[in-house]
Amino acid sequence: MSTDSKFKYKVCVVGGCGHVGLPLAIMLANRNLKTCIYDINQNSIAKIKEGVLPFYEEGAQPLLESALESGNLDFTTRAEVIGESEIVIVIIGTPVDEHLNPRVDVLRETFMSFSSYISDDQLLILRSTVYPGVTKRVKDWLEEDGHSCDIAFCPERILEGKAVEELTSLPQIVSSFTPSGVERASALFKLLTDDIVVVEPLEAELTKLCTNVWRYIKFAVSNQFYTIANDYDVDFYNIHYAMTHNYPRCKDFPKPGFAAGPCLFKDTMQLGAFYNNNFNLGHTAMLINEGLPNYVCKCLKKEYDLSKMTVGILGMAFKAESDDIRESLSYKVKKLFEFESKLVLCSDPYVKDPAFVSKEELIEKSDIIIIATPHKEYRELQIPVGKKAVDVWNVLGNGGKI
Ligand SMILES: NC(=O)c1ccc[n+]([C@@H]2O[C@H](COP(=O)([O-])OP(=O)(O)OC[C@H]3O[C@@H](n4cnc5c(N)ncnc54)[C@H](O)[C@@H]3O)[C@@H](O)[C@H]2O)c1
């Protein structure tokens, strides 16, 4: 890709210190593009500049080091860099508010604050997961402000922790309002993958949401089947095996577990809001997934006098081999048992919290041990006789019955 001499950088990644922004920025710098990370988080910038990843991401460390050594990766907290970059990729978070509606106002404020730096020869790529129609709104906002740059929406679909592998192995969805927007965005992502899927912006926005919501609903189905089986004193893992073993039509049926994290719940609520809250399937999935901690608590309350017991929670990250606690249901489990039981202890090998104890201490001191995150290192645990293990994920391999 040629670098237009007018611009200091080929690419600026806005939100480039985040879980999605950082792997992309590192990969692009390693593809020999002069890349600048623009982020408001000074602590993260300071760490990354020193070659330290602010979160765990498999395989990213050597790529960060080579990007830094190459001189292709710069950092700034100055918004002016937007005007110095030929391609501006925006990957900031897109939260939902207290009514579970998307915070489109945050995006508007952000894009309007960039407006004075934008010129018509730039390509602006939205990569955050957005409420459908946002890309068009961004185009309208900027046009009202006198701009006519190319605007593209190219959603990120990586699995957190697997970004390095998936940025080159997954197809990339590309959409824009102009042929040159499609062409320029495709040329950029072709540096990572040959598999480019071109659709309209609204289709691309909905594709991203539907992808995440589909996964969330699949987890909800499994969680619902799990509670049905458990209420009939049957181990759902026997059913799961019987359903999926050499039976291709059930091959992708997920196992039950605390389905959480920063994306699936939020994106299900975004699709619900977009469809005027007529998305019963999505809302039901949310109630099932978010209700699993309550279900576990209800089952244990029936069997034990929790007020006299210490409950230990193994795993506070929202998923295995991750230090990300955003929207982790382990914290909901913690809250419920802090109300019901004598004491709650927490442990996680990836999450740093001075209040946490080691897994050994947790097992020794707890009467009930809940494996809330399926970290691999829990697979070999021996739970002493006389202690109750709750293993919805079947990490220990003894089934999931409560
Ligand atoms: N985490 C995932 O696995 C994943 C996967 C696919 C898509 N997404 C989507 O990508 C988007 C980003 O998610 P994330 O997990 O990387 O979030 P994140 O919180 O890890 O990263 C966001 C980054 O943006 C920075 N930031 C926020 N406002 C800014 C501003 N005005 N200017 C400059 N920087 C700013 C933050 O400091 C942070 O470093 C979300 O829309 C999310 O839904 C996430």
Side-chain angles (χ1 to χ4, degrees):
M1 287 192 121
S2 67
T3 307
D4 188 323
S5 57
K6 176 187 162 189
F7 296 104
K8 184 172 174 194
Y9 297 104
K10 184 76 188 177
V11 179
C12 163
V13 181
V14 179
C17 292
H19 290 79
V20 172
L22 184 57
L24 179 68
I26 293 173
M27 293 290 267
L28 294 177
N30 274 289
R31 292 291 193 273
N32 213 19
L33 298 194
K34 192 87 185 129
T35 304
C36 189
I37 285 179
Y38 163 52
D39 203 292
I40 51 175
N41 188 330
Q42 295 189 355
N43 291 338
S44 292
I45 288 190
K47 268 191 183 173
I48 299 165
K49 263 184 173 172
E50 294 298 312
V52 179
L53 291 165
F55 45 80
Y56 178 73
E57 186 58 54
E58 201 177 294
Q61 187 62 42
L63 289 177
L64 171 61
E65 285 163 21
S66 57
L68 291 171
E69 270 167 32
S70 71
N72 280 333
L73 191 60
D74 277 353
F75 302 85
T76 187
T77 52
R78 292 180 313 114
E80 288 81 0
V81 71
I82 287 166
E84 299 162 3
S85 310
E86 185 186 334
I87 303 173
V88 178
I89 308 178
V90 183
I91 321 183
I92 59 171
T94 46
V96 288
D97 66 14
E98 68 277 25
H99 309 293
L100 301 179
N101 289 324
R103 296 278 321 266
V104 178
D105 56 327
V106 174
L107 289 173
R108 186 174 204 281
E109 271 166 37
T110 306
F111 282 102
M112 291 328 286
S113 72
F114 298 164
S115 182
S116 59
Y117 308 114
I118 288 176
S119 55
D120 290 350
D121 45 2
Q122 284 177 301
L123 166 64
L124 178 64
I125 300 178
L126 280 72
R127 194 155 175 78
S128 310
T129 308
V130 297
Y131 183 74
V134 158
T135 312
K136 171 75 167 60
R137 295 302 288 269
V138 169
K139 178 177 176 284
D140 294 344
W141 294 331
L142 292 178
E143 274 179 8
E144 278 163 25
D145 235 19
H147 300 296
S148 61
C149 60
D150 283 324
I151 297 176
F153 175 69
C154 306
E156 180 59 87
R157 295 194 297 167
I158 51 112
L159 205 57
E160 207 178 293
K162 296 277 178 209
V164 171
E165 181 195 325
E166 292 195 344
L167 271 168
T168 54
S169 66
L170 293 181
Q172 176 62 52
I173 293 167
V174 166
S175 69
S176 180
F177 301 99
T178 50
S180 67
V182 169
E183 200 179 302
R184 292 168 81 188
S186 300
L188 176 74
F189 286 107
K190 273 195 177 153
L191 295 173
L192 302 177
T193 174
D194 284 334
D195 204 348
I196 304 285
V197 180
V198 178
V199 287
E200 294 298 319
L202 184 61
E203 291 169 341
E205 291 167 339
L206 281 167
T207 301
K208 172 61 195 177
L209 283 188
C210 291
T211 305
N212 275 4
V213 175
W214 168 233
R215 289 189 70 224
Y216 194 64
I217 290 172
K218 282 201 290 189
F219 291 132
V221 173
S222 189
N223 285 336
Q224 179 76 91
F225 290 176
Y226 169 82
T227 61
I228 292 171
N230 197 64
D231 281 345
Y232 279 86
D233 209 17
V234 173
D235 188 346
F236 180 65
Y237 281 91
N238 293 335
I239 300 171
H240 188 278
Y241 179 75
M243 281 175 72
T244 54
H245 178 66
N246 285 343
Y247 192 68
R249 283 180 289 286
C250 286
K251 242 337 173 228
D252 70 340
F253 186 59
K255 291 182 175 159
F258 296 115
C263 292
L264 300 190
F265 170 93
K266 161 182 74 79
D267 293 343
T268 305
M269 293 305 99
Q270 296 214 72
L271 191 55
F274 177 67
Y275 203 48
N276 296 316
N277 289 327
N278 290 323
F279 185 33
N280 297 345
L281 195 55
H283 285 111
T284 304
M286 185 267 276
L287 293 177
I288 294 167
N289 288 333
E290 290 287 308
L292 192 58
N294 309 66
Y295 176 79
V296 169
C297 187
K298 187 188 81 179
C299 291
L300 291 171
K301 252 174 97 172
K302 261 201 286 186
E303 216 180 316
Y304 300 99
D305 179 0
L306 294 176
S307 66
K308 296 191 172 62
M309 304 184 91
T310 296
V311 175
I313 305 170
L314 284 175
M316 301 306 290
F318 86 85
K319 66 179 201 167
E321 279 64 66
S322 167
D323 57 2
D324 195 345
I325 59 168
R326 291 178 298 167
E327 320 307 326
S328 168
L329 279 175
S330 301
Y331 287 84
K332 185 165 181 182
V333 175
K334 178 171 180 273
K335 214 179 202 178
L336 289 168
F337 284 95
E338 277 171 349
F339 185 69
E340 299 290 352
S341 63
K342 188 177 74 182
L343 180 68
V344 174
L345 297 174
C346 300
S347 178
D348 194 295
Y350 296 90
V351 180
K352 301 292 162 241
D353 185 328
F356 291 1
V357 297
S358 69
K359 60 179 186 295
E360 291 80 12
E361 184 180 343
L362 183 141
I363 292 171
E364 191 198 324
K365 292 188 174 160
S366 303
D367 305 298
I368 296 174
I369 296 141
I370 300 173
I371 303 180
T373 312
H375 292 313
K376 277 188 196 135
E377 68 167 71
Y378 296 152
R379 287 182 193 167
E380 307 304 322
L381 286 180
Q382 298 293 331
I383 306 296
V385 179
K387 293 184 190 266
K388 170 79 177 172
V390 176
D391 188 10
V392 177
W393 298 97
N394 194 20
V395 177
L396 303 175
N398 303 324
K401 252 170 83 173
I402 304 178

